[in-house]
Short mmCIF file of all heavy atoms in Angstrom, two decimals:
data_model
loop_
_atom_site.label_atom_id
_atom_site.label_comp_id
_atom_site.label_asym_id
_atom_site.label_seq_id
_atom_site.Cartn_x
_atom_site.Cartn_y
_atom_site.Cartn_z
N THR A 191 -5.83 -18.61 -4.55
CA THR A 191 -4.68 -18.53 -3.68
C THR A 191 -4.71 -17.14 -3.10
O THR A 191 -4.80 -16.16 -3.87
CB THR A 191 -3.38 -18.81 -4.46
OG1 THR A 191 -3.46 -19.93 -5.29
CG2 THR A 191 -2.20 -19.00 -3.45
N TRP A 192 -4.52 -17.10 -1.82
CA TRP A 192 -4.44 -15.71 -1.17
C TRP A 192 -3.17 -14.97 -1.62
O TRP A 192 -2.07 -15.55 -1.67
CB TRP A 192 -4.55 -15.78 0.31
CG TRP A 192 -5.96 -16.02 0.75
CD1 TRP A 192 -6.52 -17.24 1.27
CD2 TRP A 192 -7.04 -15.08 0.80
NE1 TRP A 192 -7.85 -17.06 1.50
CE2 TRP A 192 -8.20 -15.81 1.22
CE3 TRP A 192 -7.19 -13.73 0.37
CZ2 TRP A 192 -9.43 -15.13 1.30
CZ3 TRP A 192 -8.43 -13.13 0.51
CH2 TRP A 192 -9.50 -13.79 0.95
N GLN A 193 -3.37 -13.69 -1.83
CA GLN A 193 -2.21 -12.83 -2.32
C GLN A 193 -2.23 -11.63 -1.39
O GLN A 193 -3.19 -11.25 -0.83
CB GLN A 193 -2.35 -12.38 -3.78
CG GLN A 193 -2.71 -13.58 -4.69
CD GLN A 193 -2.36 -13.32 -6.15
OE1 GLN A 193 -1.31 -12.68 -6.41
NE2 GLN A 193 -3.23 -13.74 -7.01
N THR A 194 -1.06 -10.96 -1.29
CA THR A 194 -0.96 -9.80 -0.45
C THR A 194 -0.52 -8.57 -1.17
O THR A 194 0.25 -8.63 -2.22
CB THR A 194 0.04 -10.03 0.74
OG1 THR A 194 1.36 -10.26 0.19
CG2 THR A 194 -0.33 -11.19 1.56
N TYR A 195 -1.05 -7.45 -0.75
CA TYR A 195 -0.57 -6.16 -1.17
C TYR A 195 -0.10 -5.47 0.06
O TYR A 195 -0.87 -5.38 1.08
CB TYR A 195 -1.65 -5.33 -1.86
CG TYR A 195 -1.81 -5.55 -3.33
CD1 TYR A 195 -2.97 -5.02 -3.91
CD2 TYR A 195 -0.91 -6.21 -4.09
CE1 TYR A 195 -3.21 -5.21 -5.32
CE2 TYR A 195 -1.13 -6.42 -5.46
CZ TYR A 195 -2.25 -5.95 -6.04
OH TYR A 195 -2.46 -6.13 -7.41
N ASP A 196 1.14 -4.99 0.08
CA ASP A 196 1.54 -4.04 1.13
C ASP A 196 1.89 -2.73 0.40
O ASP A 196 2.81 -2.72 -0.47
CB ASP A 196 2.71 -4.61 1.94
CG ASP A 196 2.30 -5.77 2.77
OD1 ASP A 196 1.61 -5.41 3.89
OD2 ASP A 196 2.41 -6.93 2.44
N ILE A 197 1.16 -1.70 0.74
CA ILE A 197 1.25 -0.50 -0.01
C ILE A 197 1.68 0.66 0.94
O ILE A 197 1.16 0.81 2.03
CB ILE A 197 -0.19 -0.14 -0.58
CG1 ILE A 197 -0.65 -1.27 -1.56
CG2 ILE A 197 -0.16 1.26 -1.28
CD1 ILE A 197 -2.06 -1.12 -2.05
N VAL A 198 2.68 1.44 0.46
CA VAL A 198 3.12 2.56 1.18
C VAL A 198 2.74 3.79 0.29
O VAL A 198 3.18 3.86 -0.86
CB VAL A 198 4.63 2.56 1.50
CG1 VAL A 198 5.04 3.85 2.27
CG2 VAL A 198 4.93 1.37 2.31
N TYR A 199 1.91 4.66 0.83
CA TYR A 199 1.34 5.73 0.01
C TYR A 199 1.54 7.10 0.65
O TYR A 199 1.25 7.24 1.84
CB TYR A 199 -0.16 5.42 -0.14
CG TYR A 199 -0.95 6.46 -0.85
CD1 TYR A 199 -0.79 6.69 -2.21
CD2 TYR A 199 -1.83 7.27 -0.09
CE1 TYR A 199 -1.59 7.69 -2.88
CE2 TYR A 199 -2.58 8.32 -0.76
CZ TYR A 199 -2.46 8.50 -2.12
OH TYR A 199 -3.14 9.46 -2.71
N LYS A 200 2.05 7.99 -0.21
CA LYS A 200 2.12 9.42 0.25
C LYS A 200 1.10 10.15 -0.62
O LYS A 200 1.18 10.24 -1.81
CB LYS A 200 3.51 9.93 0.07
CG LYS A 200 3.66 11.28 0.75
CD LYS A 200 5.12 11.77 0.71
CE LYS A 200 5.20 13.08 1.49
NZ LYS A 200 6.44 13.81 1.22
N ALA A 201 0.19 10.78 0.13
CA ALA A 201 -0.92 11.49 -0.57
C ALA A 201 -0.35 12.78 -1.28
O ALA A 201 0.72 13.24 -0.88
CB ALA A 201 -1.89 11.91 0.49
N PRO A 202 -1.03 13.19 -2.30
CA PRO A 202 -0.61 14.41 -2.95
C PRO A 202 -0.83 15.69 -2.08
O PRO A 202 -1.73 15.62 -1.17
CB PRO A 202 -1.52 14.46 -4.21
CG PRO A 202 -2.78 13.76 -3.80
CD PRO A 202 -2.31 12.66 -2.87
N ARG A 203 -0.02 16.65 -2.34
CA ARG A 203 -0.20 17.96 -1.67
C ARG A 203 -0.67 18.93 -2.63
O ARG A 203 -0.25 18.94 -3.90
CB ARG A 203 1.14 18.36 -1.03
CG ARG A 203 1.44 17.92 0.37
CD ARG A 203 1.34 16.47 0.60
NE ARG A 203 1.77 16.05 1.92
CZ ARG A 203 1.70 14.90 2.47
NH1 ARG A 203 1.10 13.87 1.79
NH2 ARG A 203 2.15 14.62 3.65
N PHE A 204 -1.52 19.89 -2.19
CA PHE A 204 -2.03 20.88 -3.06
C PHE A 204 -1.75 22.27 -2.44
O PHE A 204 -1.65 22.43 -1.22
CB PHE A 204 -3.55 20.75 -3.26
CG PHE A 204 -3.89 19.41 -3.83
CD1 PHE A 204 -4.17 18.32 -3.07
CD2 PHE A 204 -3.96 19.25 -5.24
CE1 PHE A 204 -4.49 17.06 -3.59
CE2 PHE A 204 -4.28 18.00 -5.85
CZ PHE A 204 -4.56 16.96 -5.02
N ASP A 205 -1.50 23.21 -3.32
CA ASP A 205 -1.25 24.60 -2.83
C ASP A 205 -2.58 25.28 -2.54
O ASP A 205 -3.65 24.75 -2.77
CB ASP A 205 -0.34 25.40 -3.80
CG ASP A 205 -0.95 25.64 -5.16
OD1 ASP A 205 -2.17 25.60 -5.29
OD2 ASP A 205 -0.16 25.90 -6.07
N ALA A 206 -2.41 26.52 -2.07
CA ALA A 206 -3.63 27.28 -1.64
C ALA A 206 -4.62 27.43 -2.80
O ALA A 206 -5.84 27.57 -2.64
CB ALA A 206 -3.19 28.61 -1.05
N GLY A 207 -4.06 27.49 -4.00
CA GLY A 207 -4.94 27.70 -5.18
C GLY A 207 -5.51 26.39 -5.70
O GLY A 207 -6.27 26.35 -6.71
N GLY A 208 -5.20 25.28 -5.03
CA GLY A 208 -5.80 23.95 -5.42
C GLY A 208 -4.95 23.22 -6.45
O GLY A 208 -5.39 22.19 -6.89
N LYS A 209 -3.78 23.78 -6.79
CA LYS A 209 -2.98 23.17 -7.80
C LYS A 209 -2.09 22.11 -7.06
O LYS A 209 -1.62 22.39 -5.94
CB LYS A 209 -2.11 24.25 -8.45
CG LYS A 209 -1.51 23.85 -9.71
CD LYS A 209 -1.04 25.07 -10.52
CE LYS A 209 -0.15 24.68 -11.77
NZ LYS A 209 1.12 24.19 -11.49
N VAL A 210 -1.79 20.98 -7.76
CA VAL A 210 -1.03 19.96 -7.13
C VAL A 210 0.46 20.52 -6.92
O VAL A 210 1.08 20.98 -7.92
CB VAL A 210 -1.03 18.66 -7.88
CG1 VAL A 210 -0.36 18.73 -9.19
CG2 VAL A 210 -0.40 17.53 -6.99
N SER A 211 1.00 20.48 -5.76
CA SER A 211 2.32 20.89 -5.46
C SER A 211 3.28 19.82 -5.27
O SER A 211 4.48 19.87 -5.41
CB SER A 211 2.34 21.85 -4.21
OG SER A 211 1.82 21.20 -3.16
N GLU A 212 2.75 18.66 -4.91
CA GLU A 212 3.56 17.42 -4.81
C GLU A 212 2.62 16.28 -5.12
O GLU A 212 1.58 16.11 -4.54
CB GLU A 212 3.98 17.23 -3.28
CG GLU A 212 5.04 16.25 -3.08
CD GLU A 212 5.47 16.06 -1.57
OE1 GLU A 212 5.46 17.11 -0.88
OE2 GLU A 212 5.64 14.94 -1.22
N LYS A 213 2.99 15.52 -6.22
CA LYS A 213 2.13 14.44 -6.65
C LYS A 213 2.23 13.25 -5.62
O LYS A 213 3.15 13.19 -4.84
CB LYS A 213 2.67 13.90 -8.02
CG LYS A 213 2.41 14.98 -9.14
CD LYS A 213 3.01 14.45 -10.43
CE LYS A 213 2.71 15.42 -11.52
NZ LYS A 213 3.38 15.03 -12.82
N ALA A 214 1.16 12.43 -5.72
CA ALA A 214 1.14 11.26 -4.78
C ALA A 214 2.22 10.31 -5.21
O ALA A 214 2.69 10.26 -6.37
CB ALA A 214 -0.26 10.57 -4.91
N ARG A 215 2.66 9.53 -4.23
CA ARG A 215 3.69 8.53 -4.49
C ARG A 215 3.25 7.20 -3.93
O ARG A 215 2.69 7.19 -2.83
CB ARG A 215 5.08 8.92 -3.76
CG ARG A 215 5.83 9.87 -4.64
CD ARG A 215 7.19 10.03 -4.03
NE ARG A 215 7.99 10.93 -4.87
CZ ARG A 215 8.69 10.51 -5.93
NH1 ARG A 215 8.70 9.27 -6.28
NH2 ARG A 215 9.34 11.41 -6.65
N VAL A 216 3.53 6.12 -4.61
CA VAL A 216 3.15 4.79 -4.10
C VAL A 216 4.20 3.75 -4.36
O VAL A 216 4.86 3.74 -5.33
CB VAL A 216 1.81 4.35 -4.71
CG1 VAL A 216 1.95 4.05 -6.23
CG2 VAL A 216 1.20 3.27 -3.99
N THR A 217 4.42 2.94 -3.27
CA THR A 217 5.29 1.79 -3.31
C THR A 217 4.36 0.58 -3.06
O THR A 217 3.62 0.64 -2.11
CB THR A 217 6.46 1.84 -2.34
OG1 THR A 217 7.29 2.92 -2.71
CG2 THR A 217 7.19 0.60 -2.21
N VAL A 218 4.43 -0.42 -3.87
CA VAL A 218 3.57 -1.63 -3.72
C VAL A 218 4.41 -2.84 -3.70
O VAL A 218 5.25 -3.08 -4.59
CB VAL A 218 2.55 -1.74 -4.84
CG1 VAL A 218 1.60 -2.98 -4.66
CG2 VAL A 218 1.67 -0.42 -4.97
N LEU A 219 4.22 -3.70 -2.62
CA LEU A 219 4.74 -5.06 -2.58
C LEU A 219 3.65 -6.00 -2.84
O LEU A 219 2.60 -5.99 -2.14
CB LEU A 219 5.43 -5.33 -1.20
CG LEU A 219 6.80 -4.72 -0.97
CD1 LEU A 219 6.68 -3.21 -0.68
CD2 LEU A 219 7.56 -5.43 0.09
N HIS A 220 3.80 -6.90 -3.87
CA HIS A 220 2.88 -7.90 -4.24
C HIS A 220 3.42 -9.23 -3.80
O HIS A 220 4.45 -9.56 -4.33
CB HIS A 220 2.55 -7.78 -5.74
CG HIS A 220 1.52 -8.76 -6.16
ND1 HIS A 220 1.24 -8.97 -7.53
CD2 HIS A 220 0.63 -9.57 -5.53
CE1 HIS A 220 0.31 -9.91 -7.71
NE2 HIS A 220 -0.11 -10.25 -6.44
N ASN A 221 2.74 -9.85 -2.85
CA ASN A 221 3.30 -11.12 -2.31
C ASN A 221 4.75 -10.96 -1.82
O ASN A 221 5.59 -11.79 -2.06
CB ASN A 221 3.16 -12.24 -3.39
CG ASN A 221 1.67 -12.48 -3.65
OD1 ASN A 221 0.82 -12.37 -2.83
ND2 ASN A 221 1.40 -12.78 -4.95
#
Side-chain angles (χ1 to χ4, degrees):
T191 312
W192 283 105
Q193 311 200 42
T194 61
Y195 275 166
D196 287 284
I197 299 173
V198 181
Y199 172 72
K200 189 173 185 196
R203 269 54 171 171
F204 299 92
D205 64 22
K209 199 164 170 285
V210 68
S211 57
E212 195 186 320
K213 292 177 180 175
R215 277 188 178 276
V216 70
T217 292
V218 179
L219 282 79
H220 182 191
N221 298 324

